[in-house]
Amino acid sequence: MTDQVGTKSNPIRDSKNRIKLGVFGISGNGAAFTFHPDRFKCSWDANVRLAQKAEKLGLEAFVSAMHWKSFGGDDHYSGDFMEAFTWAGAVAAVTERIAVVSTLHVTLMHPVFVAKAAATVDLISKGRAGMNLVLGWYPGDMKLFGYEVKEHSDRFELAEEWMEIFDRLWSGRKSFDYDGQNYKLKDAYSQPHGVQARPVLFNAGRSPRGREFAAKHCDIAFVSAHNPDPKAIKQQVEEYRKDAREKFGKEIQIWMSAYVVLKDTTAEAQAYAYDYIVTQGDDEPVQNIIRNNAIDTKAMPPEAAAKLAYALKAGFAGYPLVGDADRITSLFTNLSDAGVDGFLLTWLDYEGGLERFGREVLPRLEKAGLRVAVDAKV
């Protein structure tokens, strides 16, 4: 396939904004675990509206979330995720500029399939494809495919082989054999090829081995919001950048996930957050996550587990951007000063939330020098 007139740049790589922004989790029923009536109800029509609105506002990324099995039993809303590459190809077809990022489980998705699927999205989007690499920790996902959850070190051994195969399939022009511990391939080759030299890659590994994997292979790594103090965030950012520079001779973007609660006053925002997180929070699936995510929760004190449960119910344990527009702008400024390059944002009500964010927060970020007005972009 050579008809690639009008190839686009990938805004995640090319954006000059000090703070880059993406929308996260819209391929399912949002990021919050709650019975609140404002919780996002996923539909394809809502995804089209959100993708086109995010693009109109100048946001850089539209990112799926992905699990194969719900956290709350059969038919629980947390299992309603659209398949990531099918979703991404469809989003790419109804947008023109925004990057479209597929979340996938490296331990479940074969690199031969992913190379073709990602190239398909890259061709449809004319070079705007990305992938968010998850190694797979949830037993429900793994057992659905007939696998057990691998030990932490074994996951990364597999992921190293996976990346080697994917990179060779993506860029190679000659078939090859591969004889590894986890994969054995004969005459491996993938076509058609994508537009980009390589898709933009995300990874949110937080263990030392996870940070090393992200620094080595990915364009964007994520720091944790477990301690929201900007000084603690800055320390994480500096450690990541140091690993990337000293071990692999590269620069890497550092992002965070964050949930947004924007109201007229900070008190009103805090009250709304308490209502959907605590009063109407959905506790059972969150406790299931905490029980099964041993890397993060092993030997965790009760008070720390309670904080984690709150953050998960709020929005995938993201950073709390809660307040009026001025306070949220101030939080963005502090985190940018700490070295954070970008944010994947979630809301309880995505459509109303994104609309208000664009109207009230984006102009303040532009005034603060953190983003450039859409009309002023090249």
Side-chain angles (χ1 to χ4, degrees), residues 235-288:
Q235 182 177 350
Q236 290 186 70
V237 170
E238 291 176 347
E239 289 173 356
Y240 248 127
R241 294 199 197 282
K242 182 179 179 181
D243 281 349
R245 289 167 180 161
E246 294 184 358
K247 294 181 180 179
F248 307 110
K250 60 181 281 196
E251 296 296 323
I252 191 169
Q253 291 187 36
I254 306 297
W255 287 37
M256 299 185 75
S257 64
Y259 64 92
V260 181
V261 181
L262 171 61
K263 297 293 181 182
D264 290 339
T265 68
T266 295
E268 185 182 354
Q270 291 170 339
Y272 183 84
Y274 185 90
D275 183 38
Y276 90 78
I277 299 166
V278 178
T279 306
Q280 302 192 60
D282 189 358
D283 293 301
E284 182 179 348
V286 167
Q287 292 306 314
N288 188 27

Side-chain angles (χ1 to χ4, degrees), residues 148-304:
E148 295 296 325
V149 176
K150 289 181 175 289
E151 293 295 328
H152 188 250
S153 60
D154 292 339
R155 288 180 232 171
F156 284 100
E157 289 178 6
L158 181 147
E160 289 290 342
E161 291 188 10
W162 194 100
M163 284 303 315
E164 181 182 355
I165 294 167
F166 176 84
D167 282 342
R168 292 179 70 178
L169 290 168
W170 185 271
S171 60
R173 295 299 186 268
K174 186 177 180 180
S175 62
F176 63 94
D177 297 341
Y178 189 88
D179 186 16
Q181 184 69 30
N182 297 279
Y183 299 100
K184 298 184 185 299
L185 311 179
K186 185 71 174 177
D187 293 329
Y189 192 73
S190 185
Q191 62 186 92
H193 293 282
V195 176
Q196 300 175 88
R198 196 182 194 223
V200 172
L201 298 183
F202 292 64
N203 181 259
R206 292 191 293 270
S207 69
R209 185 67 184 86
R211 291 198 304 268
E212 181 178 314
F213 177 84
K216 179 180 180 181
H217 293 292
C218 297
D219 304 281
I220 295 171
F222 283 78
V223 291
S224 168
H226 288 174
N227 183 346
D229 186 338
K231 292 181 180 178
I233 302 295
K234 183 176 182 179
Q235 182 177 350
Q236 290 186 70
V237 170
E238 291 176 347
E239 289 173 356
Y240 248 127
R241 294 199 197 282
K242 182 179 179 181
D243 281 349
R245 289 167 180 161
E246 294 184 358
K247 294 181 180 179
F248 307 110
K250 60 181 281 196
E251 296 296 323
I252 191 169
Q253 291 187 36
I254 306 297
W255 287 37
M256 299 185 75
S257 64
Y259 64 92
V260 181
V261 181
L262 171 61
K263 297 293 181 182
D264 290 339
T265 68
T266 295
E268 185 182 354
Q270 291 170 339
Y272 183 84
Y274 185 90
D275 183 38
Y276 90 78
I277 299 166
V278 178
T279 306
Q280 302 192 60
D282 189 358
D283 293 301
E284 182 179 348
V286 167
Q287 292 306 314
N288 188 27
I289 293 171
I290 292 173
R291 284 193 302 270
N292 283 289
N293 196 354
I295 296 301
D296 286 334
T297 60
K298 190 175 183 179
M300 181 177 283
E303 61 273 16

